[in-house]
Amino acid sequence: MKKNLLNLRAKFKLFAPVLFLSAMLFSCSSEKSESYADQYKKEQAANEAAAPAEEAVEDDGKGIGPVKSVEVGADIDQALAANGKSLFEGKCSACHQLSDQKIVGPGLAGVTERRKPEWLMNMIINPEEMTKKDPEAKKLLAEHLTQMTNQNVNEQDARALLEFLRQNDKAN
């Protein structure tokens, strides 16, 4: 009998920590689990509230970055668009479709009709700063929950990508 009592005490000593940790985990969990998107939005709101007020940026629809003015003609520059297509396939197509279908980032159908050429080029060249300061880029980040990767595209290549996107939009 004494031996059984010792075995029972030894088993209790082994299982007591497991029971305690299980009880702690259960008591910490909430009844309603939030989706990742809800958690992200709450974190973003908290970060914005806690962050020092940034200098107000006037939204002229051109975005934040080095591109202040872009001249686009009525006709598509076919050579520039061909270069843009090659760049798109190598740097952009893993995350973007030329249709309205979302993969990781938004579909790009009609993007040249919704955004100014300067905005598009600045987003391509400068995605991190755009998603921190530009109102439309902030909305896209909140909607798609993925920061656009900086592909180290220069202004010439961004212009070629813009021309390819214009060609895609004119074709559809």
Side-chain angles (χ1 to χ4, degrees):
M1 172 113 148
K2 199 174 194 180
K3 193 175 187 179
N4 285 343
L5 189 58
L6 289 175
N7 280 340
L8 187 59
R9 282 185 182 171
K11 287 180 183 178
F12 180 76
K13 284 182 182 180
L14 287 175
F15 290 109
V18 173
L19 290 172
F20 177 75
L21 288 174
S22 298
M24 290 296 292
L25 286 173
F26 181 75
S27 68
C28 292
S29 67
S30 65
E31 290 180 23
K32 179 185 174 191
S33 63
E34 293 180 292
S35 71
Y36 177 77
D38 292 336
Q39 289 174 351
Y40 177 81
K41 287 176 184 175
K42 282 184 181 179
E43 288 172 10
Q44 286 299 102
N47 288 343
E48 286 178 12
E54 290 185 14
E55 192 175 307
V57 177
E58 184 180 325
D59 183 20
D60 59 1
K62 294 183 178 183
I64 311 297
V67 181
K68 305 298 181 204
S69 176
V70 178
E71 294 295 324
V72 292
D75 295 328
I76 301 295
D77 180 330
Q78 296 300 322
L80 197 56
N83 184 28
K85 179 180 181 181
S86 175
L87 287 163
F88 182 87
E89 289 169 351
K91 293 182 180 271
C92 311
S93 64
C95 296
H96 296 282
Q97 288 287 314
L98 293 171
S99 65
D100 59 356
Q101 180 185 0
K102 174 191 173 183
I103 298 181
V104 175
L108 298 176
V111 71
T112 61
E113 296 156 8
R114 292 188 306 274
R115 307 273 186 249
K116 290 184 178 179
E118 296 85 359
W119 190 95
L120 290 168
M121 288 179 64
N122 281 322
M123 188 67 182
I124 292 166
I125 295 168
N126 194 28
E128 293 94 355
E129 190 174 9
M130 284 283 287
T131 55
K132 288 178 185 168
K133 296 180 180 177
D134 181 79
E136 290 302 314
K138 284 181 181 182
K139 287 178 192 174
L140 287 170
L141 179 59
E143 181 181 342
H144 297 281
L145 304 175
T146 304
Q147 172 64 54
M148 182 170 153
T149 305
N150 188 330
Q151 296 289 333
N152 297 314
V153 175
N154 61 34
E155 277 190 55
Q156 272 184 313
D157 289 346
R159 179 63 181 91
L161 284 162
L162 172 66
E163 200 67 7
F164 174 64
L165 293 172
R166 287 181 65 226
Q167 180 183 54
N168 182 65
D169 287 345
K170 281 197 175 195
N172 296 321

